[in-house]
Amino acid sequence: MFHYVKVVLGVLLGIVVFMFLDYSLPSKNTVRITNTYNRLTSITSSNAMFYAAEDTGTVENASGQRDVRFFETVRPNGKVYVYRNEDTGWIWPPYFKYDSANLHAEATNLRSTSADPQWVSITSYGWRIPWLTAYPNAISIDTLAGPDERPRNWGAMVICLVLLVFLALFWRMWAQFRERTIDPVVDQVDQAWDRVEDGADAARDHISTSTAGAQGRFRRWLDSFKGKPRK
């Protein structure tokens, strides 16, 4: 039973780590910008975690609305995708973005139509969740030669490599700590438990022997009243 609990907890931890990295790591998408605009957006308790903090320079009014910049884009397959454009400040993830106004001007300058497309690669983080009014936050824009160009996401690759190195070091340190500290204690506990079980078994055997002897003597005593000879 304990083995299955460990497996379930391990799977849940893996899902949480994957979702955390999927949200936080930068992603690149090839798109064509069709429109840029500002819009009053309602920030509620259910979606506040997907927007920048108030201390990054964006201010909410009394009704919980915030003036947020947006990019409307189209991917090469024709699907539309919307990005928000907010400063990140010093909050997580640590992109330290303070140039949302310049990025908005750059995106506006790169708008194009299907007749004369200008393809760009937008680096962003976050998720698009329509029912929570959540949008990925654009970090940077790079121009491309065409819709088939797919720049490598070096940022995410380097971060994942660094995380794997730290994970390997942590796993090695944990293995050494377990070998030197935890395993000896566990062995001592196992040995102490074995001694307790051996003592309990010996006590049970002694009690069983004593009980059997007492029962035999009691039967012989009863048989003496019935006129049966003692054995």
Side-chain angles (χ1 to χ4, degrees):
M1 181 63 181
F2 183 67
H3 172 72
Y4 292 108
V5 172
K6 290 196 299 183
V7 170
V8 172
L9 292 178
V11 171
L12 292 177
L13 178 62
I15 293 175
V16 171
V17 172
F18 173 80
M19 294 180 66
F20 174 78
L21 293 177
D22 185 60
Y23 180 86
S24 302
L25 291 179
S27 63
K28 287 182 176 290
N29 288 296
T30 298
V31 297
R32 177 173 58 85
I33 301 174
T34 60
N35 191 22
T36 59
Y37 59 92
N38 289 43
R39 186 183 71 200
L40 284 176
T41 304
S42 297
I43 309 299
T44 63
S45 57
S46 60
N47 66 0
M49 63 177 295
F50 300 109
Y51 287 86
E54 294 183 13
D55 58 4
T56 58
T58 55
V59 180
E60 296 178 15
N61 57 29
S63 60
Q65 290 183 321
R66 180 185 301 177
D67 191 22
V68 181
R69 300 181 178 93
F70 289 94
F71 305 156
E72 290 181 349
T73 67
V74 177
R75 293 182 174 179
N77 58 8
K79 293 183 178 181
V80 297
Y81 204 71
V82 181
Y83 296 88
R84 64 184 170 93
N85 176 24
E86 287 189 295
D87 290 339
T88 62
W90 293 86
I91 65 171
W92 186 269
Y95 287 98
F96 310 114
K97 175 189 171 188
Y98 288 98
D99 62 343
S100 58
N102 292 342
L103 189 64
H104 192 78
E106 184 179 356
T108 301
N109 185 54
L110 292 172
R111 289 184 301 183
S112 64
T113 64
S114 57
D116 185 20
Q118 171 62 68
W119 297 99
V120 299
S121 174
I122 294 183
T123 302
S124 65
Y125 72 91
W127 298 325
R128 174 69 176 106
I129 308 177
W131 58 277
L132 281 177
T133 319
Y135 304 87
N137 191 15
I139 301 299
S140 63
I141 301 175
D142 298 302
T143 58
L144 302 177
D148 297 328
E149 190 174 353
R150 298 289 189 274
R152 291 188 181 275
N153 192 357
W154 291 110
M157 295 169 64
V158 170
I159 293 174
C160 286
L161 180 60
V162 172
L163 289 176
L164 286 175
V165 171
F166 275 108
L167 180 61
L169 292 175
F170 174 78
W171 187 264
R172 180 59 181 169
M173 292 172 60
W174 168 255
Q176 292 179 350
F177 174 77
R178 180 175 180 179
E179 181 181 356
R180 297 175 181 177
T181 306
I182 298 179
D183 288 346
V185 175
V186 172
D187 291 339
Q188 292 177 3
V189 172
D190 288 340
Q191 293 174 5
W193 183 255
D194 290 339
R195 288 193 295 269
V196 171
E197 288 185 337
D198 293 340
D201 291 340
R204 282 195 298 268
D205 293 340
H206 178 71
I207 293 174
S208 298
T209 302
S210 301
T211 303
Q215 289 177 347
R217 290 191 297 272
F218 182 70
R219 290 195 188 95
R220 290 194 295 270
W221 181 74
L222 289 177
D223 291 342
S224 66
F225 288 95
K226 297 178 182 180
K228 293 183 180 180
R230 295 184 179 179
K231 296 181 180 180

